[in-house]
Amino acid sequence: MRKIICPDYDEVCTAAADIFALQLKQKQDSVFGLATGSTPVGLYEEIIRRCETGEMDFSQAKAFNLDEYYPIEKNHPQSYKAFMDLHLFNKVKFAGTQIPNGEADDPHAECARYDAAIETAGGIDLQLLGIGINGHIGFNEPADVYPVGSHLTSLTESTLIANSRFFSEGETQPTTALTMGIGPIFKAKHILLLITGSAKAEVAKKLFDGKLYTDVPACFLLLHPNVTVIMDEAANSGRKE
Ligand code: GLP
């Protein structure tokens, strides 16, 4: 696990965009695994900026997102489909984008279809990840037993509270979601984990103290051969922003 510490959030986004650029340079038709949450928003802004100046071009690349609430309508403002359209896909042209279908009749069949679609695309070259304050990646929540493949999952109270900030009063917040499993995430050739802000300092510390905490799903990444973690100083030291 390579650890890169940047002074602040903006520099994390620049460093992450550089890794995306390098991936594209090596393979124009790369398959990217993308994430939602507030952490990657600055990276997506930087990608849009570089696409506008012609420094980056995703027109041959494909993208698979990590997760989606379930059930949720695609045009619900808090769906991850709507999030990705707003923050990236409406402005950057990809050869293809996929997000687990929050409207699917059969969530289990949808997860099997999603894993098969990733395989058919040749697997993920670069997987972007954020991390929950409880250590979740995608929506793989702390558990005794982890489904390997993509699956329907119940969100923990900590995640529901953390993500409630995105839902306005009166809006129903889904308590279940479809998520890529640890298995498909692990098949990515390179994993890029972004950790920013002092709220993530505690979980970041656990990730780097040389132990595999089974109740911190991100710790599975310690076993992957090619992971880059980019952190800001707030996440690295717990310094208040
Ligand atoms: C959500 C997403 C995760 C994301 C996490 C952290 O629950 N499912 O993929 O990494 O939240 O979000 P944030 O970046 O807003 O802290």
Side-chain angles (χ1 to χ4, degrees):
M1 200 179 250
R2 284 175 298 281
K3 183 174 168 183
I4 300 169
I5 310 297
C6 296
D8 56 32
Y9 177 73
D10 287 350
E11 300 233 10
V12 168
C13 297
T14 304
D18 289 346
I19 291 177
F20 269 66
L22 187 64
Q23 178 63 46
L24 274 178
K25 202 173 162 198
Q26 287 163 351
K27 192 180 169 204
Q28 281 286 306
D29 59 350
S30 286
V31 178
F32 291 92
L34 298 180
T36 51
S38 49
T39 307
V41 169
L43 163 64
Y44 295 153
E45 283 169 3
E46 178 61 13
I47 285 175
I48 291 166
R49 193 193 65 73
R50 292 189 194 191
C51 286
E52 282 168 359
T53 58
E55 292 164 73
M56 284 173 113
D57 174 11
F58 287 83
S59 60
Q60 293 178 50
K62 290 188 180 136
F64 287 87
N65 259 79
L66 276 170
D67 46 17
E68 176 61 282
Y69 289 113
Y70 185 85
I72 198 162
E73 287 175 10
K74 284 183 183 142
N75 60 7
H76 188 292
Q78 297 314 327
S79 76
Y80 284 170
K81 164 87 175 70
F83 177 100
M84 289 307 297
D85 286 346
L86 178 69
H87 291 286
L88 191 67
F89 297 152
N90 285 346
K91 299 199 179 110
V92 174
K93 184 181 174 297
F94 282 79
T97 60
Q98 289 215 34
I99 298 180
N101 182 4
E103 295 181 358
D105 291 332
D106 179 345
H108 308 291
E110 169 58 11
C111 289
R113 181 202 68 78
Y114 203 68
D115 283 347
I118 295 171
E119 292 284 322
T120 304
I124 290 169
D125 293 299
L126 178 63
Q127 175 66 57
L128 174 67
L129 293 177
I131 187 170
I133 47 173
N134 63 0
H136 74 228
I137 48 175
F139 270 135
N140 290 277
E141 296 278 36
D144 291 335
V145 173
Y146 293 88
V148 175
S150 299
H151 57 279
L152 175 67
T153 187
S154 296
L155 304 178
T156 60
E157 200 175 337
S158 137
T159 298
L160 289 171
I161 292 169
N163 289 358
S164 63
R165 67 189 195 276
F166 298 112
F167 290 82
S168 40
E169 225 180 296
E171 235 173 17
T172 313
Q173 185 181 1
T175 56
T176 50
L178 305 178
T179 184
M180 237 191 233
I182 303 276
I185 292 173
F186 237 71
K187 285 188 189 162
K189 295 170 191 79
H190 184 188
I191 295 176
L192 174 60
L193 170 63
L194 307 184
I195 314 181
T196 60
S198 57
K200 305 282 174 69
E202 205 178 312
V203 75
K205 206 171 159 204
K206 281 193 158 178
L207 199 55
F208 290 106
D209 81 352
K211 298 183 193 114
L212 202 155
Y213 295 91
T214 52
D215 63 347
V216 178
C219 278
F220 283 108
L221 301 175
L222 293 165
L223 306 175
H224 190 283
N226 192 13
V227 178
T228 304
V229 185
I230 310 182
M231 302 168 75
D232 62 6
E233 274 175 17
N236 189 45
S237 65
R239 173 178 59 79
K240 288 266 174 277
E241 290 154 287

